[in-house]
Amino acid sequence: MKEEYDIIVVGAGPAGTIAAQYAAKEGSSVLVLEKDRDVGYPVRCAEAINREGLEAFIKPDPKWINAEITKFGFVAPNGKKVIIDLGKVEGYMLERRIFDYELAKIASEAGAEILTRTYVNGLILEDGKVTGVKYEFRGQQMEVRAKIVIGADGVESRVGKWAGLETCVDFRDMECCFQVTAANVQCDQDTLFFYFGKEVAPEGYFWVFPKGEGTANIGLGVSGGIGKKRSALSYLNSNLEKFFPTANILTQVAGGVPSVITLEEIAAPGIMLVGDAARQVNPLSGGGISSGMIGGSIAGKLAAQSIKNNNLNYIKKYPKEWHKARGKKHKILDKLKDGIYSFTDEQFNKLIESLIKLPSKKRTIGRFFIIALANKPSLLKEIVKVFVI
Amino acid sequence: MQYRQAKTGKLLIDILPNKCDFCGCCVGVCPEDAIELKEAEIYIIDSRCTNCSKCIWACPIEVIKFDKEGVPEKQVNK
């Protein structure tokens, strides 16, 4: 380990290791610091990713894919179900503990150094600029310097705060989640199921995602506003009893999804934020792997260019490039989320009914939202932007 | 013991470390940067906590509570 690196990445999730990989490929010296003992574990994720988002970064490998997704299923509060057939493989279920490991390995092959069980607990700031991190390793308090620090420290990010960025998530925008991976569960291995309704998951959804024959990730998220009255865990327990009484629970995990638009400021002198830390999650679905990797790749590349050109001002381009790549779209998705949040059970029932009536070829995700928000013409235009263009 | 500490206001916020899953929801919503979260260790930073309760509301598994009687906790249905 060196005393100084060009770039330090805090957090070895997908956003962090992609940032490290892209920066190292461009010739920067990179150190990744991870607080947990393992990269990829514990898995705080429902593990679904869209095909394009994944394939932009890595070729799908059976080693870390549990299921190939060709269908979406929506279940109304009254129990009626509609299947949207996507026609071909449009998504994957990942085995994150292996997937994240693989990404870390690729980053390391590109030249990045990775250190686990390293808890970053402060920044070195000089003349209003971040110049390194303070961390705890094997009980010792230490420091390491860098020209640029990339904060990829997840939903619980503090790195940005220490640099003066406004990163706090309004509790109403925090999707508070609880998930089990269960065996002895009958579920279609090619379908992602979403359940809606005030009983199952108000201001959120209940998901059943396949994890290989007989197993599934079963979980839900509710907003912090709902969590004020009743917790995610309590909702999940009722849902398991109701829908999967015979499920055997193999793992259980809590987690938070910052379901908001990206932070206004994701870069400051000497620092950039990526992934959940930058709130780069798709606010509608809560999916954050692919958008985190996009954020990571942009940040990693720009950081390396800054180093190469000996001009740290390059990182100022980051917010704009992110906005162009994903941020703009997330603003629309966030509006759609607000539209869907306000649905009554009756409206969900009607929506699913009208989809059931359509011939299966005409059922698309776009149409789901078009029907859902038919009485909100301003949102309709936005839907077209997301799902057509 | 670093664990249960916050006492800046009248109330005490209590994180039950033996029940905590270390998921970070509370840290994400904390406006005061008052929660320290390590791999499997969590505590409230005394001097910063204002007892605003946001961490309590955001906790998916109800392990953060006010520890005085008469203070509303989550209305748990089960």
Side-chain angles (χ1 to χ4, degrees):
Chain A
M1 191 166 151
K2 291 184 265 201
E3 276 177 12
E4 184 173 349
Y5 289 81
D6 292 331
I7 297 161
I8 289 175
V9 181
V10 183
T17 50
I18 287 283
Q21 181 201 138
Y22 276 66
K25 268 201 289 201
E26 300 271 329
S28 291
S29 64
V30 182
L31 173 68
V32 184
L33 301 174
E34 166 59 45
K35 81 170 157 52
D36 291 346
R37 70 184 69 201
D38 284 297
V39 172
Y41 184 82
V43 180
R44 299 194 190 281
C45 181
E47 301 181 292
I49 187 168
N50 68 67
R51 185 178 56 80
E52 277 177 23
L54 176 72
E55 290 176 357
F57 291 97
I58 187 167
K59 198 168 150 261
D61 184 335
K63 200 161 65 179
W64 39 259
I65 286 182
N66 290 139
E68 296 186 335
I69 301 305
T70 58
K71 296 184 188 110
F72 276 23
F74 296 109
V75 184
N78 63 9
K80 291 216 173 139
K81 194 194 291 180
V82 67
I83 300 289
I84 297 180
D85 194 337
L86 306 167
K88 56 180 177 20
V89 175
E90 287 293 0
Y92 296 101
M93 280 298 293
L94 301 175
E95 183 67 47
R96 278 285 303 273
R97 58 181 83 186
I98 303 176
F99 176 72
D100 285 26
Y101 214 81
E102 188 69 23
L103 288 182
K105 202 180 115 206
I106 295 170
S108 120
E109 281 162 2
E113 287 176 46
I114 300 172
L115 196 59
T116 65
R117 291 205 90 174
T118 309
Y119 178 62
V120 172
N121 54 14
L123 293 175
I124 306 171
L125 287 152
E126 284 165 339
D127 305 324
K129 186 185 164 311
V130 177
T131 55
V133 303
K134 299 172 184 175
Y135 66 96
E136 196 184 290
F137 183 67
R138 294 185 180 146
Q140 273 190 306
Q141 187 62 37
M142 297 161 94
E143 288 187 5
V144 57
R145 289 184 171 266
K147 297 189 182 83
I148 297 169
V149 173
I150 297 180
D153 49 338
V155 63
E156 68 265 47
S157 175
R158 295 171 71 202
V159 168
K161 268 177 212 172
W162 298 330
L165 297 174
E166 184 46 66
T167 64
C168 184
V169 180
D170 187 303
F171 76 97
R172 284 160 294 217
D173 291 325
M174 182 67 85
E175 281 292 305
C176 312
C177 306
F178 197 81
Q179 172 180 274
V180 299
T181 304
N184 202 23
V185 169
Q186 290 310 312
C187 79
D188 299 327
Q189 289 297 313
D190 56 0
T191 312
L192 299 180
F193 275 104
F194 302 82
Y195 294 63
F196 302 106
K198 295 275 175 289
E199 286 298 313
V200 292
E203 298 192 1
Y205 59 85
F206 170 57
W207 65 80
V208 180
F209 293 174
K211 280 287 280 177
E213 217 41 56
T215 60
N217 279 345
I218 304 174
L220 59 78
V222 296
S223 79
I226 295 294
K228 204 170 167 179
K229 297 181 214 103
R230 189 179 165 193
S231 70
L233 176 61
S234 165
Y235 278 103
L236 186 68
N237 284 339
S238 325
N239 290 352
L240 282 175
E241 223 164 86
K242 188 171 167 195
F243 298 107
F244 300 98
T246 62
N248 286 320
I249 292 165
L250 306 181
T251 66
Q252 44 182 320
V253 73
V257 180
S259 294
V260 277
I261 55 168
T262 309
L263 299 176
E264 225 155 86
E265 290 179 299
I266 50 176
I271 187 159
M272 305 162 100
L273 298 179
V274 299
D276 282 12
R279 318 309 178 201
Q280 287 173 333
V281 175
N282 171 339
L284 178 62
S285 69
I289 311 168
S290 68
S291 54
M293 291 196 293
I294 293 171
S297 66
I298 298 172
K301 247 189 262 177
L302 283 174
Q305 280 172 18
S306 309
I307 304 290
K308 235 190 229 172
N309 295 301
N310 203 15
N311 180 357
L312 295 184
N313 284 328
Y314 263 64
I315 66 172
K316 284 187 187 157
K317 291 184 189 169
Y318 173 47
K320 209 171 171 186
E321 287 200 20
W322 160 257
H323 190 71
K324 212 171 107 194
R326 287 297 302 188
K328 225 159 68 183
K329 200 167 174 178
H330 284 191
K331 284 191 177 163
I332 300 170
L333 293 167
D334 191 55
K335 281 190 207 161
L336 293 186
K337 180 194 88 172
D338 289 342
I340 298 282
Y341 260 24
S342 60
F343 262 42
T344 62
D345 279 3
E346 197 43 45
Q347 282 172 306
F348 270 124
N349 290 338
K350 270 194 191 158
L351 165 63
I352 305 286
E353 294 273 358
S354 20
L355 280 167
I356 291 171
K357 279 184 202 146
L358 286 176
S360 59
K361 273 190 184 157
K362 288 201 170 168
R363 289 182 207 147
T364 60
I365 301 296
R367 195 163 298 261
F368 174 91
F369 288 104
I370 288 170
I371 299 175
L373 303 166
N375 56 346
K376 293 180 178 149
S378 60
L379 278 176
L380 274 176
K381 272 188 230 155
E382 308 282 357
I383 297 167
V384 174
K385 279 190 222 158
V386 179
F387 291 99
V388 180
I389 299 165
Chain B
M1 202 55 187
Q2 311 170 281
Y3 288 130
R4 196 203 60 67
Q5 313 188 327
K7 46 185 148 185
T8 34
K10 284 182 204 154
L11 306 168
L12 294 162
I13 282 181
D14 193 2
I15 299 180
L16 311 171
N18 55 343
K19 292 187 183 171
C20 178
D21 199 45
F22 313 104
C23 75
C25 280
C26 53
V27 185
V29 300
C30 177
E32 309 296 337
D33 191 23
I35 305 174
E36 196 77 44
L37 169 66
K38 303 187 187 181
E39 183 178 22
E41 191 180 334
I42 189 161
Y43 54 90
I44 289 174
I45 302 166
D46 230 4
S47 53
R48 296 185 190 166
C49 176
T50 62
N51 287 297
C52 76
S53 313
K54 290 184 175 120
C55 55
I56 301 180
W57 301 332
C59 179
I61 52 176
E62 299 165 41
V63 301
I64 314 180
K65 298 181 188 262
F66 284 130
D67 73 348
K68 280 196 173 167
E69 273 182 52
V71 176
E73 293 182 359
K74 268 180 209 177
Q75 300 154 6
V76 184
N77 291 20
K78 273 188 68 106

